[in-house]
Amino acid sequence: MSVAKRWGVAMTVLMGISCWTAETWRVGPAQRLVAFRQPEPLPGEMVRSWTFATDTEQWVPRGDGVKLEHDPDQGHAAKGCMRVSGVQEDGWNFVWAPRMTGKTGTTYRASMWLRVNTLTPETPPNFFFKVEVTPKDGRGRQLGSSHIPSDKVGVWQQMTIEFTVSDPEDVGLAIALEKGSRDRRSLDVSIDDVLLERIPNVAKDRVWHDATLVGPITGTLRGVHPRLYLDADRLAYLRQAVKDDPRWAPAMATLVALADAGVKSGPPDYAARVKRGGEDAPGSHEQLWQREVGNRIPNIALAWLLTGDRRYLDSAKAWVLASLDYPTWGIGRMDGMDLAAGHQMAGIGLAYDWLYHDLTEAERAQIREKLISHVNRLARIGAYEGQAWWKESYMQNHQWVSLAGMATSAFALADEVPEAASWIAVAHGKFVKTLELAGDDGASHEGYGYWEYGAEYIMRYLELSRSCLGIDLYHDADGKPHPWLSRNAAYALYLAFPRGMWDKHGSVADIGDCPRTHWYGPSYLLRNLARRYPDSPWAATAQWQAAEYVAAGCDAAGSGHYLTFAWYDPELPAVAPAAAKDPLFHHFGDIDLVSARTSWDDDATQLVVKCGPPLGHLHTDRDYGAGHVHPDAGHFLFMAKGALLFRDSGYTTVPCSSAGKGRRARARPGLISAPGCAIRALPAWFPPMPGPSSAMSPPPIPRKWGSRPSSVPSPSPMPPI
């Protein structure tokens, strides 16, 4: 069959796809932790209120195009409110409240009632209520935000934020209505009953310490080290296996190479790295170079445990102490609350647990005391009190990485630090929420690379929950496999290029925010999926794919390679997809991603098409973390005879509101549309959720997002060219 004819067959199949039937998966009461019970809300003491009974009470528009008026006829609880209308060309905000003083160490609750009066052509998908502090050094930072969708016209909706001023001195405090981007946006809304309340610290502390752990960490694992991912029995097995079993030889060779490199280089010098990166360099505020510090530590520590070579023990200690001595783990609002902190707490927590008996009491005390400060900052101030920007971004890798890393250190310290119960409860509650919100098709809205990154840290926490708490979150209370995780192996398989194209330059379809190469594994991820879901139809092919990625030299081993030694079971079968008779076509129904190929041969022809909403059909009304989703509905890739014929053009730097100096976006040379559907011009980084006048509406396939027609039968295989 000709390429053109086969293309026609593929398009006929794609245009006939129906939406999937969503699955229900819920965590049972026994899988949750008892924590943070409180009256709703905690009683507060009024600090300031704006009721707009007679005027706009000195609120200030952020641009000449925004108009503030007193409306005597409307109001939330009584007549009288402030009407805000017009256009804001740039900047983040529409309107500010008068500046106030925030007292250090004080917890506040801010709330606002907002009513959307009319939708305008440039109404943002969501309105954001924001609190910002400005310390004496002048570097303002956001302490918290809340948002509502803009499509509920004529309805009063409340936004609430709780936050704590943790600065050593009093700070300037500002409340604002935010646009959600720096792009041109318009509005016509009414605001009323804006309140700022002080929450007594006694009440807040009582709720924070109201957390209870369960399972082995409260009994059989108390005082036992190592206990995180590896235990004494597993280490005894591994020490023998790496000597006698050739199946472990590749993993051991990689581990030794990574450890040797760490010994040779030593930990990065903080001052030198900051100077080299430059304070204003893109991403410098995140200090992402520290991720590699956290990644390297467990590889070196494990090399010591498996070889007994003292060089590795000394080096692991040096890396841990250097990391703990860094003045910052991120700059400004990122310090201690984002990826740099998550990676380093993951690495240091494992080193503390794995090397516990090789550390002196003085070394343990030194590590423990410094680690407590870091963990408490992320867990309490960031996640619990809401100063971390990702606090409600349950579908975002930043939350998963930060919380899983923090929880690793919390579990390592759990029998020595009573507050660890609260740290763990924070992470557990948010991961439960993530699992309940995750799509049910196994595909990642962030792309293959970020799937590797995010799924790794989700599974890291699930393993800790399983072994330390005795709570299995891979399944629900009825034993049902998690629909997204249990289908991750299908996503890994069907987004991979034909086997003959795999090399270090690329092996996967770059749909979303990712390259064609790997970032994290995914060999150890696939091996864990095969281990935890052995009855999955993709378990055996996951084992095969993991080994093939390693053999092809395209597996990214440097990040979490040590997890191979915890998650790899060489006794599980590995079966190639052709031998397993895996279908040649797969439809990921939630995000509407399709992969079809002519065969499982090395030189097969493959078509990959994406055509769904940003976060999938399950979440078209709220943004739970779409920051890495690209405006690529209708985008496709086409491979034939070992070549990528239609492909993504890659990244380009463009002006973008969220980065200030430009941000990555992607050109899309291959876009298709269904009959009767126009493809609109897309901004560089689109407003994340479909809403009024959204660039993502109408969808490329003409149906209502979130509808639930019957599932799709697989088409017959396409014949070869």
Side-chain angles (χ1 to χ4, degrees), residues 372-718:
I372 286 172
S373 176
H374 284 293
V375 175
N376 196 61
R377 175 170 172 77
L378 192 148
R380 178 161 184 172
I381 298 174
Y384 178 70
E385 295 178 357
Q387 291 192 26
W389 67 265
W390 42 255
K391 65 184 183 299
E392 293 181 343
S393 297
Y394 298 105
M395 305 293 288
Q396 237 285 350
N397 69 78
H398 284 254
Q399 184 187 97
W400 306 336
V401 173
S402 301
L403 289 174
M406 178 273 291
T408 306
S409 284
F411 278 113
L413 299 171
D415 44 12
E416 300 174 270
V417 182
E419 198 164 0
S422 299
W423 302 336
I424 292 166
V426 166
H428 193 84
K430 290 190 180 294
F431 275 111
V432 164
K433 181 76 169 179
T434 288
L435 293 171
E436 291 183 332
L437 290 173
D440 56 8
D441 60 4
S444 171
H445 57 284
E446 293 188 324
Y448 204 106
Y450 277 109
W451 162 72
E452 295 171 347
Y453 194 22
E456 173 180 325
Y457 280 83
I458 290 175
M459 287 191 278
R460 281 173 180 258
Y461 182 78
L462 267 56
E463 290 297 317
L464 295 173
S465 172
R466 193 174 188 273
S467 62
C468 295
L469 300 175
I471 297 175
D472 176 14
L473 293 176
Y474 286 101
H475 303 82
D476 67 11
D478 297 322
K480 179 181 177 182
H482 189 270
W484 185 75
L485 278 171
S486 64
R487 294 180 174 121
N488 271 182
Y491 177 72
L493 178 65
Y494 284 95
L495 268 288
F497 290 159
R499 175 63 180 87
M501 295 177 64
W502 296 4
D503 59 30
K504 64 180 181 180
H505 302 294
S507 57
V508 295
D510 50 337
I511 297 287
D513 190 4
C514 74
R516 299 180 195 111
T517 54
H518 298 288
W519 288 341
Y520 294 84
S523 62
Y524 51 88
L525 307 180
L526 293 168
R527 285 165 170 159
N528 197 47
L529 290 169
R531 181 176 69 128
R532 292 301 178 213
Y533 297 112
D535 296 329
S536 162
W538 304 285
T541 50
Q543 280 283 85
W544 169 86
Q545 191 173 5
E548 290 297 304
Y549 274 148
V550 172
C554 57
D555 192 56
S559 54
H561 177 68
Y562 51 89
L563 293 170
T564 299
F565 294 86
W567 294 355
Y568 176 38
D569 181 354
E571 302 305 323
L572 291 176
V575 181
K581 299 183 179 179
D582 287 334
L584 302 177
F585 173 94
H586 196 90
H587 173 217
F588 299 92
D590 184 27
I591 68 171
D592 269 338
L593 177 65
V594 168
S595 174
R597 64 183 72 212
T598 54
S599 70
W600 290 108
D601 295 342
D602 288 356
D603 60 351
T605 300
Q606 182 183 12
L607 171 69
V608 178
V609 181
K610 182 190 174 189
C611 51
L615 280 179
H617 293 281
L618 288 175
H619 303 300
T620 58
D621 59 345
R622 181 171 176 179
D623 178 9
Y624 287 107
H628 288 288
V629 180
H630 281 200
D632 58 359
H635 178 51
F636 69 92
L637 291 88
F638 187 69
M639 290 71 72
K641 295 190 178 298
L644 193 52
L645 303 181
F646 285 85
R647 63 190 179 95
D648 191 300
S649 293
Y651 289 112
T652 180
T653 300
V654 295
C656 179
S657 59
S658 59
K661 291 182 167 59
R663 184 169 180 173
R664 297 172 300 174
R666 282 179 146 177
R668 297 293 179 189
L671 285 172
I672 58 175
S673 64
C677 288
I679 294 180
R680 299 187 179 190
L682 298 175
W685 211 269
F686 61 88
M689 300 309 301
S693 304
S694 166
M696 290 301 297
S697 179
I701 292 183
R703 63 162 180 268
K704 181 181 178 181
W705 288 353
S707 58
R708 304 288 194 270
S710 60
S711 58
V712 188
S714 296
S716 57
M718 292 181 288

